Amino acid sequence: MAKKDYYEILGVSKNASQDEIKKAFRKLAHQYHPDKGGGDEEKFKEANEAYQVLSDAEKRRQYDQFGTTFEGAPGGPSGFQWQDFAQGGPFGGFRTTVDFGDLGDIFGDMFGFGERKGRRGRKRKEGRDLEIDTTVEFMEAVHGTTKRITLEKLEECQSCKGTGSEGKGGVKTCNTCEGTGMVEQAQRTFFGTFSSQSVCPTCHGEGNVIEKPCSRCRGEGRVVKEHAFEITIPPGVAEGTILRLEGKGEAGVRGAGAGSLFIAVHIKPDSRFRREHDDIHSEASITLPQAVLGCSIRIPTVDGQVEVKIPSGTQSDSVIRLKGKGVPHLETGGRGDHLLHITIAVPTRLSRRQKELYEALAREEG
């Protein structure tokens, strides 16, 4: 039997510190734990076995000296017998039970165990979060609106009210794990018997089983259904704003909590306005006489038409700020501003009278 290289299994050097060993095991445990998608039970057990030896100073010393096997094993020159070890021979036999409660910082709630000894079952699978997109008009984003959303998702089964059972009292304690949701597995090694816990294959960690599953949802407590509801788009949402609605995602398994619904808001452009943060930008063109003499013009804003006074001597590319005429600040109150960009239109064709007047003005200005 070939010697197992526990250092190689964990991917650490023979001089690795206890922190390095623990860190390496933590990484492998998260990667290979059988409760996870893509997990590998054999590699998890192998890493666990290596960790139990190398994390214990005495076991590590024995391993470094003798390895996991001996060339003189049963009947060999050394006279070593497995029974000598297991029954308190020259090295002192031992039995090791892997208590995941002691490794709570490694596993925590991730795998549904390790919180406390003797607990029954584990938390049922909560519903998934959902993400959808919705598009609103420019003015709807400014002032807020309501949108009707329709989507298919897993919802609570109305036949069994989410219990998964065809009738009342159809749930019983799992006989395999006796309600704990976990089963213990023992693995014998040279260093003793290692016991590890894994999710019960019968009840999948819930601690109970359904004797007669609901015919509609097949015991899951939820079914796919088209659901329509209204959502509120608050004033001031910007492009890409994510709205979260708790409990509007998929229903959980057999009464577990529902996930959240995340709504990404997209905004249609408006040819009259350009938005920059919570400020609105627009343009207005005036004539040369209006720029020189000053005037009043009416312009569109997100609140409707307003009259704006153009002061005399206004230059092209001037910006007039209309305080508080922009977009409401989302959730904080107040509003942005409306910035009016002025351009001066230079005539390309003049009547005879207009030409005479401009020529007179030019002579006047020298």
Side-chain angles (χ1 to χ4, degrees), residues 73-212:
S78 69
F80 173 82
Q81 299 290 329
W82 166 264
Q83 291 82 358
D84 294 337
F85 182 84
Q87 298 175 10
F91 306 106
F94 58 86
R95 172 185 175 90
T96 299
T97 298
V98 181
D99 183 354
F100 287 107
D102 295 335
L103 300 177
D105 61 324
I106 296 180
F107 299 108
D109 295 328
M110 181 176 179
F111 303 122
F113 59 85
E115 295 175 3
R116 59 183 183 275
K117 297 181 181 180
R119 72 181 187 88
R120 299 177 67 83
R122 66 172 182 174
K123 192 175 183 180
R124 289 195 178 99
K125 182 180 179 182
E126 293 188 346
R128 289 190 309 140
D129 293 335
L130 298 178
E131 299 178 9
I132 61 172
D133 296 271
T134 189
T135 302
V136 298
E137 300 291 337
F138 188 92
M139 299 300 286
E140 290 177 330
V142 173
H143 299 295
T145 187
T146 58
K147 298 286 287 186
R148 187 167 182 80
I149 301 294
T150 302
L151 72 156
E152 281 192 344
K153 63 175 184 173
L154 286 167
E155 290 204 331
E156 181 182 281
C157 175
Q158 294 302 306
S159 296
C160 65
K161 303 302 179 184
T163 64
S165 176
E166 189 68 38
K168 294 183 178 180
V171 180
K172 69 173 186 177
T173 300
C174 176
N175 292 328
T176 303
C177 65
E178 298 181 346
T180 64
M182 308 297 293
V183 292
E184 188 174 278
Q185 297 175 326
Q187 182 180 12
R188 293 187 64 181
T189 72
F190 178 80
F191 288 95
T193 300
F194 292 89
S195 296
S196 62
Q197 287 186 322
S198 61
V199 176
C200 175
T202 302
C203 66
H204 305 291
E206 293 185 11
N208 53 60
V209 294
I210 298 174
E211 293 186 295
K212 188 178 181 182

Side-chain angles (χ1 to χ4, degrees), residues 3 57 93 118 150 305 314 357:
K3 171 183 175 181
T150 302
Q305 293 281 328
T314 295
L357 290 173

Side-chain angles (χ1 to χ4, degrees), residues 305-330:
Q305 293 281 328
V306 298
E307 191 167 285
V308 178
K309 184 177 181 180
I310 306 298
S312 59
T314 295
Q315 303 296 306
S316 187
D317 295 328
S318 295
V319 178
I320 298 176
R321 184 181 295 270
L322 308 180
K323 297 287 292 183
K325 291 295 185 180
V327 180
H329 299 314
L330 187 63

